[in-house]
Amino acid sequence: MDGENSLSVIKLKNILLVTVPDDPGDDIIHELQTKVLHAIEKYQSKGLILDISSVNILDSFFARTISETTQMVALMGGKTVIAGMQPSVAITATELGLHLGKAISTLDVDRALDIFTDNFKLV
Amino acid sequence: MANQEAGENPIKSEGDIVTCRKLIRNAAVAAGFGMTDVTRIVTAVSELARNVYVHSGSDGVMRWEILHQPGQIGIHLEFEDYGKGIPDVDQAMEVGFTTAGTMGMGLSGVKRLMDDINIKSEVGVGTTITVEKWGRAK
Ligand SMILES: Nc1ncnc2c1ncn2[C@@H]1O[C@H](COP(=O)(O)OP(=O)(O)O)[C@@H](O)[C@H]1O
Ligand SMILES: [Mg+2]
């Protein structure tokens, strides 16, 4: 049932692709924020795709980190797209009353990339 | 481990939050809950276990049991700690109320995700929160 339990950060041209494991502990969620901000600074990335397609639990702590990270990325001049939220996670997050800040959501990473190429013209 | 219908797990460290989630995910899936209900239940576990770890100032424990009724399956969960307690439970249940500068969405959210929530708390003694969720048996 458990997937690879670590964060993956990949630089793709101008943007950063970050993949979150299925059941991220608080340590991984903290790491998400610091790793993303460092990588954006290092590579001068213009955007972030947060791939949460494996994630099967999103509570208020994780949601807060996502929304904060999105805000910080925006302050650094970047855009965030959240890709692949599972339907059951989306339903639960809505019922819990969570919102993920101003980030755009897409069905999957391919569509997130399309947004960066077609809408933002960043890739 | 498989088909276990009741158990408990301590809540003493940050890592125990993930352990509680995994335990209850396995139990809820094995009991036959649907995917969305499993996610609701595990999310409630995450909120309540984290509250024990973050707010109580003490150790705690999660206890769980799978329930059976004709045509229905249920899960009963109890989170007990021996910490500082909640002075005003109604206020703690309000959306956005927090004493920790976090979102204040945990207790109000859990109430929506589960069928039943019961909070017993005494200042200086501790807090016990029980929740229940029911689904159609497969
Ligand atoms: N187990 C607990 N022990 C003591 N206080 C608690 C406990 N659980 C919740 N609380 C109190 O209730 C408030 C609201 O909790 P919650 O809705 O989960 O939001 P948050 O965790 O973001 O503060 C907490 O800020 C805390 O003051
Ligand atoms: Mg909470």
PDB file of all heavy atoms in Angstrom, chain A residues 58-78:
ATOM      1  N   LEU A  58      -5.049  14.597   3.010  1.00  0.00           N
ATOM      2  CA  LEU A  58      -4.693  16.018   3.044  1.00  0.00           C
ATOM      3  C   LEU A  58      -5.471  16.643   4.200  1.00  0.00           C
ATOM      4  O   LEU A  58      -6.674  16.822   4.094  1.00  0.00           O
ATOM      5  CB  LEU A  58      -5.068  16.650   1.696  1.00  0.00           C
ATOM      6  CG  LEU A  58      -4.442  17.997   1.328  1.00  0.00           C
ATOM      7  CD1 LEU A  58      -4.503  18.185  -0.171  1.00  0.00           C
ATOM      8  CD2 LEU A  58      -5.127  19.155   2.015  1.00  0.00           C
ATOM      9  N   ASP A  59      -4.776  16.900   5.290  1.00  0.00           N
ATOM     10  CA  ASP A  59      -5.457  17.481   6.451  1.00  0.00           C
ATOM     11  C   ASP A  59      -5.164  18.988   6.532  1.00  0.00           C
ATOM     12  O   ASP A  59      -4.540  19.552   5.633  1.00  0.00           O
ATOM     13  CB  ASP A  59      -5.053  16.745   7.733  1.00  0.00           C
ATOM     14  CG  ASP A  59      -3.571  16.879   8.022  1.00  0.00           C
ATOM     15  OD1 ASP A  59      -2.875  17.637   7.315  1.00  0.00           O
ATOM     16  OD2 ASP A  59      -3.101  16.233   8.973  1.00  0.00           O
ATOM     17  N   SER A  60      -5.624  19.626   7.609  1.00  0.00           N
ATOM     18  CA  SER A  60      -5.509  21.095   7.671  1.00  0.00           C
ATOM     19  C   SER A  60      -4.051  21.544   7.777  1.00  0.00           C
ATOM     20  O   SER A  60      -3.697  22.626   7.330  1.00  0.00           O
ATOM     21  CB  SER A  60      -6.340  21.655   8.822  1.00  0.00           C
ATOM     22  OG  SER A  60      -5.861  21.222  10.074  1.00  0.00           O
ATOM     23  N   PHE A  61      -3.195  20.694   8.341  1.00  0.00           N
ATOM     24  CA  PHE A  61      -1.775  21.031   8.458  1.00  0.00           C
ATOM     25  C   PHE A  61      -1.112  21.053   7.078  1.00  0.00           C
ATOM     26  O   PHE A  61      -0.384  21.989   6.731  1.00  0.00           O
ATOM     27  CB  PHE A  61      -1.091  20.004   9.376  1.00  0.00           C
ATOM     28  CG  PHE A  61       0.392  20.168   9.475  1.00  0.00           C
ATOM     29  CD1 PHE A  61       0.939  21.253  10.152  1.00  0.00           C
ATOM     30  CD2 PHE A  61       1.235  19.239   8.899  1.00  0.00           C
ATOM     31  CE1 PHE A  61       2.320  21.397  10.251  1.00  0.00           C
ATOM     32  CE2 PHE A  61       2.610  19.382   8.990  1.00  0.00           C
ATOM     33  CZ  PHE A  61       3.155  20.463   9.662  1.00  0.00           C
ATOM     34  N   PHE A  62      -1.393  20.027   6.281  1.00  0.00           N
ATOM     35  CA  PHE A  62      -0.830  19.934   4.938  1.00  0.00           C
ATOM     36  C   PHE A  62      -1.389  21.067   4.059  1.00  0.00           C
ATOM     37  O   PHE A  62      -0.655  21.732   3.318  1.00  0.00           O
ATOM     38  CB  PHE A  62      -1.148  18.550   4.360  1.00  0.00           C
ATOM     39  CG  PHE A  62      -0.443  18.217   3.076  1.00  0.00           C
ATOM     40  CD1 PHE A  62       0.620  18.976   2.609  1.00  0.00           C
ATOM     41  CD2 PHE A  62      -0.839  17.106   2.340  1.00  0.00           C
ATOM     42  CE1 PHE A  62       1.267  18.642   1.418  1.00  0.00           C
ATOM     43  CE2 PHE A  62      -0.198  16.772   1.159  1.00  0.00           C
ATOM     44  CZ  PHE A  62       0.847  17.552   0.699  1.00  0.00           C
ATOM     45  N   ALA A  63      -2.692  21.308   4.175  1.00  0.00           N
ATOM     46  CA  ALA A  63      -3.331  22.357   3.369  1.00  0.00           C
ATOM     47  C   ALA A  63      -2.709  23.722   3.665  1.00  0.00           C
ATOM     48  O   ALA A  63      -2.459  24.519   2.758  1.00  0.00           O
ATOM     49  CB  ALA A  63      -4.829  22.395   3.651  1.00  0.00           C
ATOM     50  N   ARG A  64      -2.432  23.964   4.929  1.00  0.00           N
ATOM     51  CA  ARG A  64      -1.838  25.239   5.318  1.00  0.00           C
ATOM     52  C   ARG A  64      -0.460  25.390   4.697  1.00  0.00           C
ATOM     53  O   ARG A  64      -0.100  26.463   4.201  1.00  0.00           O
ATOM     54  CB  ARG A  64      -1.752  25.284   6.844  1.00  0.00           C
ATOM     55  CG  ARG A  64      -1.100  26.523   7.387  1.00  0.00           C
ATOM     56  CD  ARG A  64      -1.218  26.504   8.894  1.00  0.00           C
ATOM     57  NE  ARG A  64      -0.767  27.765   9.459  1.00  0.00           N
ATOM     58  CZ  ARG A  64       0.267  27.861  10.277  1.00  0.00           C
ATOM     59  NH1 ARG A  64       0.943  26.793  10.614  1.00  0.00           N
ATOM     60  NH2 ARG A  64       0.596  29.031  10.773  1.00  0.00           N
ATOM     61  N   THR A  65       0.315  24.304   4.704  1.00  0.00           N
ATOM     62  CA  THR A  65       1.653  24.364   4.117  1.00  0.00           C
ATOM     63  C   THR A  65       1.581  24.601   2.612  1.00  0.00           C
ATOM     64  O   THR A  65       2.364  25.382   2.064  1.00  0.00           O
ATOM     65  CB  THR A  65       2.425  23.061   4.412  1.00  0.00           C
ATOM     66  OG1 THR A  65       2.375  22.817   5.817  1.00  0.00           O
ATOM     67  CG2 THR A  65       3.861  23.160   3.960  1.00  0.00           C
ATOM     68  N   ILE A  66       0.636  23.952   1.942  1.00  0.00           N
ATOM     69  CA  ILE A  66       0.496  24.162   0.504  1.00  0.00           C
ATOM     70  C   ILE A  66       0.146  25.614   0.224  1.00  0.00           C
ATOM     71  O   ILE A  66       0.740  26.267  -0.641  1.00  0.00           O
ATOM     72  CB  ILE A  66      -0.583  23.229  -0.107  1.00  0.00           C
ATOM     73  CG1 ILE A  66      -0.121  21.765  -0.056  1.00  0.00           C
ATOM     74  CG2 ILE A  66      -0.898  23.634  -1.554  1.00  0.00           C
ATOM     75  CD1 ILE A  66      -1.119  20.777  -0.617  1.00  0.00           C
ATOM     76  N   SER A  67      -0.807  26.145   0.982  1.00  0.00           N
ATOM     77  CA  SER A  67      -1.240  27.514   0.699  1.00  0.00           C
ATOM     78  C   SER A  67      -0.138  28.526   1.039  1.00  0.00           C
ATOM     79  O   SER A  67       0.087  29.489   0.304  1.00  0.00           O
ATOM     80  CB  SER A  67      -2.585  27.770   1.382  1.00  0.00           C
ATOM     81  OG  SER A  67      -2.527  28.810   2.265  1.00  0.00           O
ATOM     82  N   GLU A  68       0.600  28.274   2.125  1.00  0.00           N
ATOM     83  CA  GLU A  68       1.740  29.142   2.467  1.00  0.00           C
ATOM     84  C   GLU A  68       2.835  29.081   1.404  1.00  0.00           C
ATOM     85  O   GLU A  68       3.412  30.110   1.038  1.00  0.00           O
ATOM     86  CB  GLU A  68       2.380  28.664   3.780  1.00  0.00           C
ATOM     87  CG  GLU A  68       1.841  29.326   5.015  1.00  0.00           C
ATOM     88  CD  GLU A  68       2.561  28.802   6.254  1.00  0.00           C
ATOM     89  OE1 GLU A  68       3.664  28.186   6.129  1.00  0.00           O
ATOM     90  OE2 GLU A  68       2.009  28.988   7.336  1.00  0.00           O
ATOM     91  N   THR A  69       3.111  27.855   0.946  1.00  0.00           N
ATOM     92  CA  THR A  69       4.167  27.678  -0.053  1.00  0.00           C
ATOM     93  C   THR A  69       3.797  28.411  -1.344  1.00  0.00           C
ATOM     94  O   THR A  69       4.622  29.096  -1.955  1.00  0.00           O
ATOM     95  CB  THR A  69       4.412  26.179  -0.326  1.00  0.00           C
ATOM     96  OG1 THR A  69       4.660  25.527   0.915  1.00  0.00           O
ATOM     97  CG2 THR A  69       5.601  25.964  -1.262  1.00  0.00           C
ATOM     98  N   THR A  70       2.525  28.279  -1.731  1.00  0.00           N
ATOM     99  CA  THR A  70       2.039  28.977  -2.917  1.00  0.00           C
ATOM    100  C   THR A  70       2.249  30.486  -2.794  1.00  0.00           C
ATOM    101  O   THR A  70       2.699  31.150  -3.727  1.00  0.00           O
ATOM    102  CB  THR A  70       0.528  28.691  -3.097  1.00  0.00           C
ATOM    103  OG1 THR A  70       0.350  27.286  -3.162  1.00  0.00           O
ATOM    104  CG2 THR A  70      -0.016  29.323  -4.356  1.00  0.00           C
ATOM    105  N   GLN A  71       1.947  30.996  -1.614  1.00  0.00           N
ATOM    106  CA  GLN A  71       2.124  32.433  -1.362  1.00  0.00           C
ATOM    107  C   GLN A  71       3.586  32.851  -1.448  1.00  0.00           C
ATOM    108  O   GLN A  71       3.914  33.884  -2.019  1.00  0.00           O
ATOM    109  CB  GLN A  71       1.634  32.767   0.055  1.00  0.00           C
ATOM    110  CG  GLN A  71       0.265  33.394   0.104  1.00  0.00           C
ATOM    111  CD  GLN A  71      -0.142  33.566   1.550  1.00  0.00           C
ATOM    112  OE1 GLN A  71      -0.402  32.592   2.249  1.00  0.00           O
ATOM    113  NE2 GLN A  71      -0.180  34.805   2.020  1.00  0.00           N
ATOM    114  N   MET A  72       4.460  32.012  -0.869  1.00  0.00           N
ATOM    115  CA  MET A  72       5.889  32.334  -0.891  1.00  0.00           C
ATOM    116  C   MET A  72       6.445  32.259  -2.304  1.00  0.00           C
ATOM    117  O   MET A  72       7.257  33.093  -2.708  1.00  0.00           O
ATOM    118  CB  MET A  72       6.657  31.375   0.024  1.00  0.00           C
ATOM    119  CG  MET A  72       6.348  31.609   1.484  1.00  0.00           C
ATOM    120  SD  MET A  72       7.154  30.384   2.517  1.00  0.00           S
ATOM    121  CE  MET A  72       6.403  30.731   4.090  1.00  0.00           C
ATOM    122  N   VAL A  73       5.991  31.261  -3.059  1.00  0.00           N
ATOM    123  CA  VAL A  73       6.416  31.146  -4.456  1.00  0.00           C
ATOM    124  C   VAL A  73       5.972  32.396  -5.217  1.00  0.00           C
ATOM    125  O   VAL A  73       6.723  32.967  -6.017  1.00  0.00           O
ATOM    126  CB  VAL A  73       5.839  29.861  -5.099  1.00  0.00           C
ATOM    127  CG1 VAL A  73       6.043  29.847  -6.604  1.00  0.00           C
ATOM    128  CG2 VAL A  73       6.478  28.615  -4.480  1.00  0.00           C
ATOM    129  N   ALA A  74       4.761  32.866  -4.933  1.00  0.00           N
ATOM    130  CA  ALA A  74       4.253  34.075  -5.587  1.00  0.00           C
ATOM    131  C   ALA A  74       5.113  35.289  -5.237  1.00  0.00           C
ATOM    132  O   ALA A  74       5.423  36.115  -6.100  1.00  0.00           O
ATOM    133  CB  ALA A  74       2.799  34.320  -5.191  1.00  0.00           C
ATOM    134  N   LEU A  75       5.523  35.371  -3.978  1.00  0.00           N
ATOM    135  CA  LEU A  75       6.393  36.478  -3.564  1.00  0.00           C
ATOM    136  C   LEU A  75       7.726  36.446  -4.294  1.00  0.00           C
ATOM    137  O   LEU A  75       8.361  37.477  -4.513  1.00  0.00           O
ATOM    138  CB  LEU A  75       6.652  36.425  -2.055  1.00  0.00           C
ATOM    139  CG  LEU A  75       5.516  36.898  -1.166  1.00  0.00           C
ATOM    140  CD1 LEU A  75       5.848  36.645   0.306  1.00  0.00           C
ATOM    141  CD2 LEU A  75       5.236  38.376  -1.396  1.00  0.00           C
ATOM    142  N   MET A  76       8.158  35.227  -4.675  1.00  0.00           N
ATOM    143  CA  MET A  76       9.407  35.090  -5.413  1.00  0.00           C
ATOM    144  C   MET A  76       9.166  35.218  -6.920  1.00  0.00           C
ATOM    145  O   MET A  76      10.058  34.950  -7.722  1.00  0.00           O
ATOM    146  CB  MET A  76      10.059  33.740  -5.086  1.00  0.00           C
ATOM    147  CG  MET A  76      10.495  33.640  -3.630  1.00  0.00           C
ATOM    148  SD  MET A  76      10.972  31.963  -3.136  1.00  0.00           S
ATOM    149  CE  MET A  76      12.682  31.934  -3.666  1.00  0.00           C
ATOM    150  N   GLY A  77       7.948  35.598  -7.283  1.00  0.00           N
ATOM    151  CA  GLY A  77       7.632  35.856  -8.678  1.00  0.00           C
ATOM    152  C   GLY A  77       7.190  34.626  -9.462  1.00  0.00           C
ATOM    153  O   GLY A  77       7.112  34.659 -10.688  1.00  0.00           O
ATOM    154  N   GLY A  78       6.888  33.535  -8.768  1.00  0.00           N
ATOM    155  CA  GLY A  78       6.520  32.297  -9.466  1.00  0.00           C
ATOM    156  C   GLY A  78       5.046  31.954  -9.357  1.00  0.00           C
ATOM    157  O   GLY A  78       4.316  32.510  -8.537  1.00  0.00           O
TER     158      GLY A  78
END
